[in-house]
Amino acid sequence: MRNTLTFLILCFLISCVAKQQSPIDSITPQSIHAEVEWLASDNMKGRYYRSKEGRLAAKYIAHKWISAGLSPLPNKTSMYLPTDDMRDSPNVAGMLQGTGDEYVLITAHYDHLAPKRNGKDTIYNGADDNASGTAALIEIAKVLGNQQQRYRASIVLVAFTGEEAGLVGSEHFVKSAPIPIHKIKALINLDMISRGDPNTIFLEGAPDAPRIALALSNANKQIGLNIIRDKHPDWLYRSDQLPFLEQEVPAVFLSVEDHEDYHRVTDHTDKIIPELAAKTTKLTLLAALELAHPVP
Ligand SMILES: [Zn+2]
Protein backbone atom coordinates (compact mmCIF):
# COMPACT_ATOMS: atom_id res chain seq x y z
CA MET A 1 0.00 0.00 0.00
CA ARG A 2 2.74 2.40 0.97
CA ASN A 3 4.65 1.52 -2.17
CA THR A 4 1.59 2.18 -4.30
CA LEU A 5 1.10 5.54 -2.64
CA THR A 6 4.75 6.50 -3.14
CA PHE A 7 4.45 5.43 -6.78
CA LEU A 8 1.34 7.56 -7.31
CA ILE A 9 2.94 10.59 -5.66
CA LEU A 10 6.01 10.13 -7.86
CA CYS A 11 3.85 9.93 -10.99
CA PHE A 12 2.07 13.10 -9.95
CA LEU A 13 5.35 14.97 -9.36
CA ILE A 14 6.80 13.78 -12.67
CA SER A 15 3.69 14.91 -14.54
CA CYS A 16 3.92 18.34 -12.82
CA VAL A 17 7.55 18.75 -13.86
CA ALA A 18 6.79 17.58 -17.40
CA LYS A 19 3.97 20.11 -17.59
CA GLN A 20 6.12 22.99 -16.38
CA GLN A 21 8.75 22.18 -18.98
CA SER A 22 6.50 22.61 -21.98
CA PRO A 23 6.08 26.30 -22.76
CA ILE A 24 3.26 25.70 -25.22
CA ASP A 25 0.74 23.96 -22.97
CA SER A 26 -1.28 27.11 -22.36
CA ILE A 27 -2.29 27.13 -26.05
CA THR A 28 -5.45 25.03 -26.17
CA PRO A 29 -8.42 24.64 -28.52
CA GLN A 30 -10.52 26.26 -25.77
CA SER A 31 -8.28 29.33 -25.44
CA ILE A 32 -8.19 29.79 -29.23
CA HIS A 33 -11.96 29.34 -29.49
CA ALA A 34 -12.58 31.97 -26.81
CA GLU A 35 -10.50 34.58 -28.66
CA VAL A 36 -12.08 33.80 -32.04
CA GLU A 37 -15.53 34.02 -30.48
CA TRP A 38 -14.83 37.53 -29.17
CA LEU A 39 -13.12 38.84 -32.29
CA ALA A 40 -15.72 37.36 -34.67
CA SER A 41 -18.82 38.27 -32.63
CA ASP A 42 -21.55 40.32 -34.32
CA ASN A 43 -20.61 43.21 -31.99
CA MET A 44 -17.25 43.48 -33.79
CA LYS A 45 -18.98 43.88 -37.18
CA GLY A 46 -16.14 42.27 -39.11
CA ARG A 47 -13.37 44.49 -37.68
CA TYR A 48 -13.30 46.46 -40.92
CA TYR A 49 -10.14 48.56 -41.11
CA ARG A 50 -11.96 51.90 -41.21
CA SER A 51 -14.49 51.11 -38.51
CA LYS A 52 -14.59 51.84 -34.81
CA GLU A 53 -14.77 48.06 -34.31
CA GLY A 54 -11.49 47.74 -36.24
CA ARG A 55 -9.91 50.19 -33.78
CA LEU A 56 -11.49 48.29 -30.89
CA ALA A 57 -9.91 45.05 -32.17
CA ALA A 58 -6.50 46.80 -32.32
CA LYS A 59 -6.97 48.02 -28.75
CA TYR A 60 -7.97 44.54 -27.59
CA ILE A 61 -4.88 42.93 -29.18
CA ALA A 62 -2.50 45.56 -27.75
CA HIS A 63 -4.08 45.16 -24.31
CA LYS A 64 -3.62 41.38 -24.43
CA TRP A 65 0.02 41.70 -25.48
CA ILE A 66 0.84 44.30 -22.83
CA SER A 67 -0.80 42.11 -20.16
CA ALA A 68 1.29 39.19 -21.42
CA GLY A 69 4.46 41.22 -20.90
CA LEU A 70 5.46 42.09 -24.48
CA SER A 71 7.03 45.48 -25.27
CA PRO A 72 6.54 47.97 -28.11
CA LEU A 73 9.13 47.95 -30.91
CA PRO A 74 12.47 49.71 -30.25
CA ASN A 75 12.07 53.52 -30.02
CA LYS A 76 8.27 53.23 -29.83
CA THR A 77 6.18 54.09 -26.81
CA SER A 78 3.05 52.34 -28.11
CA MET A 79 2.20 49.07 -29.84
CA TYR A 80 0.06 51.01 -32.33
CA LEU A 81 1.72 51.71 -35.67
CA PRO A 82 -0.72 53.99 -37.54
CA THR A 83 -0.79 53.99 -41.35
CA ASP A 84 -0.56 57.27 -43.31
CA ASP A 85 -4.36 57.55 -43.38
CA MET A 86 -5.90 58.57 -40.05
CA ARG A 87 -9.17 56.82 -40.98
CA ASP A 88 -7.44 53.42 -40.83
CA SER A 89 -7.19 51.34 -37.69
CA PRO A 90 -3.49 50.84 -36.87
CA ASN A 91 -1.13 47.92 -37.24
CA VAL A 92 -0.27 46.51 -33.82
CA ALA A 93 3.26 45.29 -33.03
CA GLY A 94 4.61 43.75 -29.81
CA MET A 95 7.97 42.21 -29.09
CA LEU A 96 10.01 39.88 -26.89
CA GLN A 97 13.43 41.57 -26.90
CA GLY A 98 16.37 39.45 -28.05
CA THR A 99 20.06 39.85 -27.28
CA GLY A 100 21.03 40.55 -30.92
CA ASP A 101 19.86 42.86 -33.68
CA GLU A 102 17.83 40.42 -35.81
CA TYR A 103 14.09 39.77 -35.81
CA VAL A 104 11.74 36.82 -36.25
CA LEU A 105 8.20 37.93 -37.16
CA ILE A 106 4.91 36.13 -36.66
CA THR A 107 2.09 37.98 -38.42
CA ALA A 108 -1.66 37.82 -39.08
CA HIS A 109 -4.22 40.35 -40.29
CA TYR A 110 -7.03 41.17 -37.88
CA ASP A 111 -9.36 43.05 -40.24
CA HIS A 112 -12.17 41.52 -42.26
CA LEU A 113 -14.84 42.90 -44.60
CA ALA A 114 -17.29 45.78 -44.06
CA PRO A 115 -20.94 44.81 -43.48
CA LYS A 116 -23.33 44.34 -46.40
CA ARG A 117 -26.03 46.96 -46.88
CA ASN A 118 -28.97 44.55 -46.91
CA GLY A 119 -29.90 41.01 -46.10
CA LYS A 120 -30.81 39.02 -43.04
CA ASP A 121 -27.22 38.49 -41.96
CA THR A 122 -25.13 41.52 -42.95
CA ILE A 123 -21.99 40.92 -40.88
CA TYR A 124 -18.86 39.32 -42.25
CA ASN A 125 -17.67 37.80 -38.97
CA GLY A 126 -14.44 36.44 -40.41
CA ALA A 127 -13.98 33.74 -37.78
CA ASP A 128 -11.54 31.74 -39.88
CA ASP A 129 -10.47 34.79 -41.93
CA ASN A 130 -8.69 35.89 -39.84
CA ALA A 131 -9.86 35.88 -36.24
CA SER A 132 -8.16 32.45 -36.16
CA GLY A 133 -4.72 33.88 -37.01
CA THR A 134 -5.27 36.82 -34.67
CA ALA A 135 -6.20 34.44 -31.83
CA ALA A 136 -2.95 32.59 -32.55
CA LEU A 137 -0.98 35.82 -32.00
CA ILE A 138 -2.79 36.49 -28.72
CA GLU A 139 -2.06 32.98 -27.44
CA ILE A 140 1.57 33.10 -28.62
CA ALA A 141 2.07 36.39 -26.72
CA LYS A 142 1.06 34.71 -23.45
CA VAL A 143 3.75 32.05 -23.89
CA LEU A 144 6.40 34.56 -24.98
CA GLY A 145 5.67 36.75 -21.97
CA ASN A 146 6.41 33.79 -19.65
CA GLN A 147 9.71 32.82 -21.28
CA GLN A 148 12.68 32.58 -18.92
CA GLN A 149 14.91 31.54 -21.81
CA ARG A 150 16.63 34.38 -23.71
CA TYR A 151 16.83 34.40 -27.50
CA ARG A 152 19.28 36.01 -29.89
CA ALA A 153 16.64 37.40 -32.23
CA SER A 154 13.77 39.53 -31.02
CA ILE A 155 10.44 37.82 -31.65
CA VAL A 156 7.94 40.34 -33.03
CA LEU A 157 4.19 39.82 -33.37
CA VAL A 158 2.42 42.02 -35.90
CA ALA A 159 -1.37 42.17 -36.31
CA PHE A 160 -1.96 43.89 -39.65
CA THR A 161 -4.81 46.20 -40.54
CA GLY A 162 -6.40 46.49 -43.99
CA GLU A 163 -5.27 43.21 -45.54
CA GLU A 164 -8.68 42.80 -47.12
CA ALA A 165 -8.44 46.31 -48.57
CA GLY A 166 -5.26 45.35 -50.45
CA LEU A 167 -2.43 44.61 -47.99
CA VAL A 168 -2.67 48.18 -46.63
CA GLY A 169 -1.11 47.36 -43.25
CA SER A 170 1.73 45.11 -44.38
CA GLU A 171 2.72 47.44 -47.22
CA HIS A 172 2.83 50.34 -44.79
CA PHE A 173 4.93 48.32 -42.34
CA VAL A 174 7.54 47.58 -45.02
CA LYS A 175 7.50 51.14 -46.37
CA SER A 176 7.78 52.82 -42.96
CA ALA A 177 10.22 50.16 -41.63
CA PRO A 178 9.71 50.55 -37.85
CA ILE A 179 12.49 47.93 -37.66
CA PRO A 180 15.19 47.49 -40.35
CA ILE A 181 13.52 45.22 -42.91
CA HIS A 182 16.83 43.55 -43.90
CA LYS A 183 17.28 42.49 -40.25
CA ILE A 184 14.18 40.27 -40.41
CA LYS A 185 15.62 36.77 -40.65
CA ALA A 186 12.27 34.99 -40.85
CA LEU A 187 8.56 35.74 -41.14
CA ILE A 188 5.66 33.32 -40.67
CA ASN A 189 2.26 34.67 -41.75
CA LEU A 190 -0.99 33.06 -40.57
CA ASP A 191 -4.17 33.74 -42.52
CA MET A 192 -7.08 31.28 -42.07
CA ILE A 193 -5.91 28.37 -39.90
CA SER A 194 -9.10 26.75 -38.63
CA ARG A 195 -11.11 25.03 -41.38
CA GLY A 196 -10.95 22.02 -43.71
CA ASP A 197 -9.35 18.76 -42.65
CA PRO A 198 -8.83 18.81 -38.86
CA ASN A 199 -5.15 17.85 -39.08
CA THR A 200 -3.99 19.50 -42.32
CA ILE A 201 -2.30 22.85 -42.90
CA PHE A 202 -0.82 24.20 -46.14
CA LEU A 203 2.66 25.71 -46.24
CA GLU A 204 3.73 28.03 -49.07
CA GLY A 205 7.12 29.64 -49.62
CA ALA A 206 9.29 26.81 -48.27
CA PRO A 207 11.63 26.49 -51.30
CA ASP A 208 12.86 30.08 -50.87
CA ALA A 209 12.92 29.93 -47.07
CA PRO A 210 14.64 26.60 -46.28
CA ARG A 211 15.59 27.56 -42.71
CA ILE A 212 11.98 28.37 -41.83
CA ALA A 213 10.80 25.18 -43.52
CA LEU A 214 13.32 23.16 -41.50
CA ALA A 215 12.28 24.84 -38.23
CA LEU A 216 8.62 24.06 -39.01
CA SER A 217 9.41 20.46 -39.81
CA ASN A 218 11.44 20.12 -36.57
CA ALA A 219 8.55 21.66 -34.63
CA ASN A 220 6.10 19.32 -36.29
CA LYS A 221 7.81 16.32 -34.68
CA GLN A 222 6.06 17.48 -31.49
CA ILE A 223 2.79 18.51 -33.14
CA GLY A 224 2.07 15.87 -35.78
CA LEU A 225 0.19 17.96 -38.34
CA ASN A 226 -0.13 16.90 -41.95
CA ILE A 227 1.76 19.78 -43.60
CA ILE A 228 1.13 20.00 -47.35
CA ARG A 229 3.91 22.00 -49.00
CA ASP A 230 3.94 24.12 -52.14
CA LYS A 231 0.55 23.10 -53.49
CA HIS A 232 -0.64 26.71 -53.98
CA PRO A 233 2.41 28.91 -54.75
CA ASP A 234 0.01 31.62 -56.01
CA TRP A 235 -1.14 32.10 -52.40
CA LEU A 236 2.15 33.90 -51.74
CA TYR A 237 0.65 36.83 -53.67
CA ARG A 238 -2.56 37.02 -51.70
CA SER A 239 -1.68 37.80 -48.10
CA ASP A 240 0.60 39.95 -45.95
CA GLN A 241 3.83 38.04 -46.62
CA LEU A 242 3.96 39.57 -50.12
CA PRO A 243 5.46 43.03 -49.35
CA PHE A 244 8.16 41.29 -47.29
CA LEU A 245 8.95 38.75 -50.02
CA GLU A 246 9.34 41.69 -52.42
CA GLN A 247 12.11 42.94 -50.09
CA GLU A 248 13.68 39.46 -50.07
CA VAL A 249 12.72 38.73 -46.47
CA PRO A 250 12.57 34.94 -45.96
CA ALA A 251 8.84 34.42 -45.43
CA VAL A 252 6.31 31.59 -45.44
CA PHE A 253 2.55 31.39 -45.36
CA LEU A 254 0.42 28.93 -43.37
CA SER A 255 -3.25 28.62 -44.35
CA VAL A 256 -6.12 26.27 -45.09
CA GLU A 257 -7.78 25.90 -48.49
CA ASP A 258 -10.73 28.10 -49.42
CA HIS A 259 -14.03 26.80 -48.09
CA GLU A 260 -17.72 27.45 -48.70
CA ASP A 261 -17.79 30.27 -46.11
CA TYR A 262 -14.71 32.11 -47.42
CA HIS A 263 -15.58 35.83 -47.76
CA ARG A 264 -19.21 35.07 -46.92
CA VAL A 265 -21.27 36.25 -43.95
CA THR A 266 -21.37 32.61 -42.82
CA ASP A 267 -17.67 32.50 -41.75
CA HIS A 268 -18.87 31.95 -38.17
CA THR A 269 -17.13 30.80 -34.99
CA ASP A 270 -19.22 27.63 -34.68
CA LYS A 271 -17.67 26.34 -37.91
CA ILE A 272 -14.02 26.64 -36.94
CA ILE A 273 -11.86 23.70 -35.86
CA PRO A 274 -10.10 25.09 -32.77
CA GLU A 275 -7.92 21.96 -32.48
CA LEU A 276 -6.39 22.68 -35.90
CA ALA A 277 -5.84 26.34 -35.04
CA ALA A 278 -4.23 25.38 -31.70
CA LYS A 279 -1.88 22.90 -33.37
CA THR A 280 -0.91 25.41 -36.06
CA THR A 281 -0.32 28.05 -33.38
CA LYS A 282 1.97 25.75 -31.42
CA LEU A 283 3.79 24.73 -34.60
CA THR A 284 4.42 28.36 -35.50
CA LEU A 285 5.61 29.30 -32.02
CA LEU A 286 8.02 26.35 -31.70
CA ALA A 287 9.50 27.12 -35.13
CA ALA A 288 9.86 30.82 -34.27
CA LEU A 289 11.66 29.98 -31.01
CA GLU A 290 14.12 27.75 -32.88
CA LEU A 291 14.68 30.44 -35.53
CA ALA A 292 15.23 33.07 -32.82
CA HIS A 293 18.02 30.87 -31.47
CA PRO A 294 18.05 30.27 -27.69
CA VAL A 295 21.03 31.83 -25.91
CA PRO A 296 22.91 29.11 -23.98
ZN1 LIG B 1 -7.36 36.65 -44.77
Side-chain angles (χ1 to χ4, degrees):
M1 182 65 190
R2 238 176 72 192
N3 278 348
T4 315
L5 193 63
T6 314
F7 176 73
L8 286 174
I9 291 171
L10 258 175
C11 287
F12 175 73
L13 289 174
I14 288 167
S15 78
C16 286
V17 170
K19 267 194 181 132
Q20 277 170 5
Q21 278 172 348
S22 182
I24 57 172
D25 279 348
S26 68
I27 300 169
T28 64
Q30 293 73 23
S31 64
I32 294 276
H33 185 275
E35 294 301 347
V36 171
E37 191 165 48
W38 193 89
L39 290 160
S41 69
D42 280 353
N43 287 339
M44 293 302 288
K45 295 189 181 151
R47 314 173 296 284
Y48 179 57
Y49 82 124
R50 283 186 177 162
S51 64
K52 77 173 192 306
E53 291 80 11
R55 272 184 285 281
L56 180 59
K59 192 174 167 186
Y60 181 78
I61 297 161
H63 172 75
K64 290 272 176 174
W65 291 355
I66 290 164
S67 311
L70 298 191
S71 323
L73 294 183
N75 309 314
K76 301 279 178 196
T77 52
S78 162
M79 288 192 182
Y80 295 148
L81 305 176
T83 69
D84 295 330
D85 192 323
M86 288 313 287
R87 291 172 297 176
D88 298 353
S89 55
N91 287 330
V92 187
M95 181 177 81
L96 177 71
Q97 176 84 54
T99 57
D101 63 352
E102 290 191 309
Y103 298 89
V104 170
L105 266 62
I106 307 173
T107 63
H109 75 88
Y110 68 85
D111 66 300
H112 198 49
L113 304 166
K116 286 202 284 195
R117 280 168 201 271
N118 352 289
K120 206 164 144 217
D121 183 359
T122 57
I123 297 168
Y124 289 93
N125 303 79
D128 184 42
D129 188 8
N130 188 25
S132 64
T134 309
L137 296 186
I138 291 171
E139 293 305 299
I140 285 171
K142 289 184 199 160
V143 180
L144 290 180
N146 279 325
Q147 284 286 306
Q148 302 300 320
Q149 173 70 50
R150 299 277 285 155
Y151 294 87
R152 252 180 233 164
S154 297
I155 301 174
V156 174
L157 307 184
V158 189
F160 290 120
T161 188
E163 190 271 352
E164 302 287 3
L167 313 184
V168 170
S170 49
E171 280 183 357
H172 183 266
F173 189 98
V174 168
K175 193 180 69 175
S176 60
I179 53 174
I181 301 301
H182 68 279
K183 290 285 185 188
I184 303 173
K185 61 185 288 195
L187 181 148
I188 302 173
N189 185 40
L190 308 174
D191 189 355
M192 300 167 59
I193 57 165
S194 63
R195 293 289 298 264
D197 177 81
N199 204 47
T200 298
I201 198 79
F202 291 80
L203 168 64
E204 301 304 329
D208 291 324
R211 287 175 66 192
I212 308 178
L214 177 63
L216 286 166
S217 113
N218 289 339
N220 201 35
K221 288 173 193 156
Q222 281 188 56
I223 308 298
L225 275 165
N226 173 31
I227 302 178
I228 298 181
R229 281 171 61 154
D230 313 321
K231 190 179 168 197
H232 304 286
D234 54 305
W235 286 3
L236 288 173
Y237 295 91
R238 63 184 246 185
S239 188
D240 290 311
Q241 66 279 348
L242 180 61
F244 294 88
L245 286 168
E246 286 171 345
Q247 298 301 314
E248 297 184 352
V249 172
V252 300
F253 181 40
L254 288 172
S255 183
V256 296
E257 287 187 308
D258 286 354
H259 45 78
E260 64 273 20
D261 301 305
Y262 172 70
H263 281 198
R264 298 222 164 94
V265 293
T266 48
D267 182 0
H268 287 155
T269 303
D270 60 4
K271 294 184 177 167
I272 70 162
I273 304 167
E275 292 79 9
L276 173 62
K279 281 186 178 181
T280 305
T281 304
K282 290 178 178 186
L283 176 84
T284 302
L285 172 58
L286 288 174
L289 293 177
E290 180 185 316
L291 289 160
H293 209 294
V295 177

